[in-house]
């Protein structure tokens, strides 16, 4: 058998935040654990799940244990996973109480006839699958979220208010969604992503992350993509699928990615970042936000991790 050299890429979100040492170490660990799976011959989809679990479990990112709260004080998380071998996919939206939403998504993919489970039934499904739980938000955290809600007059346009507050330096951006893409020794691709959503979002808001074709896509014949950035814009252009389609039509990862990021900015003023991996192992990481924490490893030397890519 002609084994391929595996590749793995991970991200910890696109936004304005400067990556700190703990986040950098965690991204490194996610690359190492994901790559170890690939090295022992596991499929790409397993490596992606493992890498994302490291990020979710750390509590350092806006995913899994570190997820932000919605304006009513609830913690509702989204995740998705796609296998480029056969285009199987699994996703959850607004799942609560789970430490590893990416594993809930994997169970949806492996054990149901569906692609996406949402809300309370998704939470019940996670419990049924015995995915590790996390404690509900503390009273103090809920109180802070509710105070934020009152400030924003609850049902107003929360995203533009959030941006205004960020610009005024009154709020830390909560953008640290996580994701991964991988290529295994057999030449199979996979993609995944997991998030607590956008900071100060209305209860029930669902972004791009659990939407196959918007937040993630993987097809062995085109490529694998994991998105981060403003979900409301990413969904409207179905960004992940458009990047993969362009690669399937012959574009190299960087060209496909740059084209779609420009389209997102020009047409709807959207900002985002992405991991893009081609079937031949070529890859690209780029963003139109000021920063994006991410890393890649092909098994040679040390993993590369940074919070700016161009
Ligand atoms: N894309 C995520 C969402 O809109 C947020 C992010 O990537 O920062 O839910």
């Amino acid at each position: 058998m002609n084994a391929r050299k595996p590749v793995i890429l991970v991200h910890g979100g696109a936004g304005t935040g400067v990556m700190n040492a703990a986040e950098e170490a965690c991204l490194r660990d996610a690359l190492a654990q994901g790559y170890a799976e690939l090295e022992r011959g596991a499929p790409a989809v397993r490596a992606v799940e493992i890498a994302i679990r490291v990020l979710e479990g750390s509590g350092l990112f806006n995913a899994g244990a570190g997820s932000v709260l919605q304006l009513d004080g609830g913690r509702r998380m989204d995740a998705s996973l796609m296998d480029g071998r056969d285009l199987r996919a699994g996703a959850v939206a607004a799942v609560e109480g789970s430490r590893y939403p990416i594993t809930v998504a994997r169970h949806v993919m492996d054990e149901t006839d569906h692609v996406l489970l949402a809300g309370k039934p998704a939470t019940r499904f996670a419990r049924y699958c015995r995915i590790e739980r996390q404690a509900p938000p503390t009273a103090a955290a809920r109180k802070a979220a509710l105070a934020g809600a009152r400030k924003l007059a609850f049902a107003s346009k929360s995203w533009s208010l959030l941006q205004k507050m960020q610009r005024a330096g009154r709020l830390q951006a909560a953008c640290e969604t996580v994701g991964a893409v991988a290529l295994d020794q057999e030449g199979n691709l996979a993609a995944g992503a997991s998030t607590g959503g956008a900071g100060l979002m209305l209860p029930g808001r669902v972004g791009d992350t659990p939407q196959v074709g918007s937040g993630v896509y993987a097809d062995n014949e085109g490529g694998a993509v994991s998105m981060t950035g403003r979900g409301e814009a990413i969904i409207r252009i179905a960004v992940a699928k458009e990047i993969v389609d362009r690669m399937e039509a012959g574009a190299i990862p960087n060209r496909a990615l740059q084209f779609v990021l420009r389209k997102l900015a020009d047409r709807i003023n959207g900002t985002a970042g992405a991991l893009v991996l081609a079937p031949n192992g070529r890859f690209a990481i780029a963003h139109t936000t000021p920063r994006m924490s991410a890393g890649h490893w092909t098994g040679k030397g040390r993993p590369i991790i940074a919070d700016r890519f161009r």
Side-chain angles (χ1 to χ4, degrees):
M1 189 188 73
N2 211 351
R4 275 176 195 262
K5 199 81 196 116
V7 185
I8 184 159
L9 285 73
V10 298
H11 75 74
T16 53
V18 178
M19 179 173 62
N20 63 37
E23 289 164 351
E24 183 179 346
C26 189
L27 287 167
R28 195 176 299 283
D29 191 25
L31 283 174
Q33 292 201 35
Y35 196 86
E37 292 291 323
L38 297 169
E39 218 170 16
R40 68 169 187 80
V45 73
R46 173 75 182 150
V48 165
E49 182 193 354
I50 291 295
I52 291 178
R53 279 177 64 95
V54 171
L55 301 168
E56 287 178 333
S58 71
L60 296 170
F61 299 92
N62 175 18
S67 296
V68 297
L69 304 188
Q70 296 192 330
L71 285 178
D72 63 351
R75 188 196 287 122
R76 302 179 183 90
M77 299 162 288
D78 305 331
S80 63
L81 188 62
M82 185 163 188
D83 190 336
R85 285 179 289 201
D86 46 13
L87 309 184
R88 286 190 318 132
V92 281
V95 71
E96 293 181 81
S98 179
R99 195 171 170 83
Y100 300 109
I102 194 68
T103 296
V104 191
R106 206 247 305 148
H107 280 267
V108 173
M109 181 173 86
D110 287 348
E111 286 157 38
T112 78
D113 293 329
H114 312 305
V115 169
L116 174 61
L117 292 184
K120 287 199 175 1
T123 302
R124 281 199 289 275
F125 177 75
R127 286 187 191 145
Y128 170 78
C129 296
R130 299 182 180 281
I131 314 295
E132 296 88 331
R133 306 267 292 268
Q134 64 169 312
T138 60
R142 294 175 75 92
K143 212 171 140 198
L146 290 169
R150 268 195 296 277
K151 259 193 227 138
L152 295 179
F154 198 69
S156 61
K157 291 211 162 187
S158 55
W159 189 279
S160 55
L161 270 164
L162 169 68
Q163 285 183 320
K164 271 187 211 147
M165 288 171 79
Q166 279 172 356
R167 274 198 295 272
R170 304 250 300 276
L171 214 61
Q172 257 299 99
C175 311
E176 299 96 357
T177 288
V178 304
V181 295
L183 174 69
D184 66 29
Q185 293 185 27
E186 313 254 305
N188 300 307
L189 289 166
S194 178
T195 190
L200 299 188
M201 60 193 162
L202 293 180
R205 179 263 187 194
V206 173
D208 60 300
T209 305
Q211 301 197 43
V212 170
S214 292
V216 299
Y217 205 74
D219 180 350
N220 278 4
E221 293 178 15
V225 174
S226 177
M227 295 303 303
T228 168
R230 186 179 169 182
E232 280 69 8
I234 295 168
I235 292 166
R236 285 155 66 201
I237 298 212
V239 169
K241 180 71 162 73
E242 167 139 17
I243 294 172
V244 171
D245 284 349
R246 285 180 178 275
M247 290 201 289
E248 197 171 351
I252 60 167
N254 193 45
R255 196 169 283 264
L257 174 53
Q258 296 291 353
F259 180 93
V260 180
L261 287 179
R262 206 172 323 119
K263 177 173 169 183
L264 195 64
D266 292 349
R267 294 289 304 279
I268 56 174
N269 201 20
T271 54
L275 308 175
V276 180
L277 180 56
N280 64 5
R282 285 181 80 164
F283 60 85
I285 303 176
H287 49 98
T288 46
T289 49
R291 288 175 190 273
M292 174 173 169
S293 304
H296 53 87
W297 202 23
T298 56
K300 279 187 251 128
R302 280 170 67 77
I304 307 295
I305 319 233
D307 66 4
R308 268 201 188 139
F309 293 84
R310 285 290 175 254

